[in-house]
Amino acid sequence: MKTKSFAKFLIKPVGFLVVLILLDFVVGAGFRKIYFSQRVGQFSQTTYAIDSARQDIMIYGSSRAVRHYSPSIISKITGLTCYDSGRDGLMIPYSTAMEEISLNRHTPKFIILDISPRELGIDQSKYDKLSILLPYCNKHPEFIKYIQEISPFEPYKLLSQTYPFNSSAFILATNTLFSKTVKKDDNGYLPLEGQMTKPEVDDYSLRMNKRYLKIKKRKDIPEEKGVRYFKAFLDNSAKRNIKTLVVISPTVLKKSFLPG
């Protein structure tokens, strides 16, 4: 009697768990199909850079890379094909991850890395933003060591089919429903367009001055792990004898952070 009662007690929670697993699988499969069907926007650019880019010149970096370097102009000058795999807000760990996976598939003739000095300082956000790689871990397990920088539990969370797409649902919906309004990139390049009004310029200058006053007394120190990622990026290209140019784009700060 007690055994039957216990079995009945287990039926509901076990059934609920099964429903959750099935729902996670179905919703996750839907998200995956939509994600990898993107033809415009940042996700399609990342997917192309990981799985398809085979250009002679590859560009890596954050927003300064994706907004400053025009592959069309570079190709016109050099006669070589070029792709800009920079991504807004992503820093040296992301660039290193993207370079590693790309070099496993293709060896370019030249690499450009645009890096900000602050990327070598202590800043946890440069690791947290590696969540953009979550959708690719299933096909590219090489990324797992990078997402572990977010949390040591990230690989276990990948057992969920929906988890890799949690933070991208809104952008996926926007890109899918309003795909015609999403600006098409030029081989990864997405320049900022438009003009700032005088009030906007004044506001920007005020905010930059306040920022400078706030940080000028702060003494940043290099983060060993951040520097290690930078060295790994250079080592990856050196092992394949790829000429690599490291650039620090112009900045409004009066004093750049330099290791030492």
Side-chain angles (χ1 to χ4, degrees), residues 149-211:
E149 296 287 12
I150 307 170
S151 160
F153 301 106
E154 291 303 299
Y156 302 104
K157 294 179 183 179
L158 288 174
L159 291 172
S160 166
Q161 299 301 304
T162 57
Y163 178 71
F165 308 98
N166 283 348
S167 61
S168 58
F170 178 77
I171 298 176
L172 284 176
T174 302
N175 288 356
T176 301
L177 297 174
F178 308 102
S179 59
K180 292 184 179 179
T181 66
V182 180
K183 185 180 177 183
K184 182 71 174 68
D185 64 279
D186 173 15
N187 283 309
Y189 173 55
L190 273 173
L192 294 175
E193 297 180 342
Q195 294 181 338
M196 295 177 69
T197 63
K198 188 177 185 307
E200 288 174 334
V201 172
D202 292 340
D203 176 66
Y204 179 79
S205 297
L206 180 63
R207 287 188 289 109
M208 288 300 101
N209 285 330
K210 286 183 177 180
R211 181 185 177 208

Side-chain angles (χ1 to χ4, degrees), residues 32-197:
R32 183 171 294 278
K33 182 174 179 59
I34 294 172
Y35 186 99
F36 288 103
S37 297
Q38 300 287 294
R39 293 295 176 264
V40 292
Q42 59 181 305
F43 299 143
S44 68
Q45 291 169 254
T46 300
T47 300
Y48 179 84
I50 290 173
D51 291 327
S52 304
R54 302 185 67 85
Q55 281 78 354
D56 299 321
I57 301 174
M58 292 295 297
I59 300 169
Y60 297 91
S62 60
S63 58
R64 293 172 182 266
V66 73
R67 308 296 183 183
H68 291 187
Y69 298 81
S70 169
S72 295
I73 295 175
I74 293 174
S75 293
K76 186 176 181 180
I77 294 172
T78 64
L80 301 173
T81 57
C82 179
Y83 189 78
D84 189 335
S85 62
R87 196 64 65 244
D88 285 341
L90 279 299
M91 298 186 239
I92 188 61
Y94 174 80
S95 296
T96 304
M98 293 294 287
E99 182 203 37
E100 177 185 341
I101 200 72
S102 178
L103 293 184
N104 286 340
R105 177 176 49 76
H106 167 64
T107 301
K109 297 178 179 178
F110 198 82
I111 285 177
I112 298 174
L113 171 65
D114 188 291
I115 187 171
S116 167
R118 65 182 286 263
E119 295 182 41
L120 304 182
I122 298 173
D123 185 352
Q124 179 58 32
S125 70
K126 65 174 173 274
Y127 303 113
D128 294 337
K129 292 176 180 178
L130 289 172
S131 59
I132 194 174
L133 298 176
L134 289 170
Y136 304 94
C137 289
N138 186 42
K139 183 178 179 180
H140 300 288
E142 300 96 322
F143 283 144
I144 290 179
K145 64 177 178 287
Y146 292 96
I147 66 162
Q148 285 180 312
E149 296 287 12
I150 307 170
S151 160
F153 301 106
E154 291 303 299
Y156 302 104
K157 294 179 183 179
L158 288 174
L159 291 172
S160 166
Q161 299 301 304
T162 57
Y163 178 71
F165 308 98
N166 283 348
S167 61
S168 58
F170 178 77
I171 298 176
L172 284 176
T174 302
N175 288 356
T176 301
L177 297 174
F178 308 102
S179 59
K180 292 184 179 179
T181 66
V182 180
K183 185 180 177 183
K184 182 71 174 68
D185 64 279
D186 173 15
N187 283 309
Y189 173 55
L190 273 173
L192 294 175
E193 297 180 342
Q195 294 181 338
M196 295 177 69
T197 63

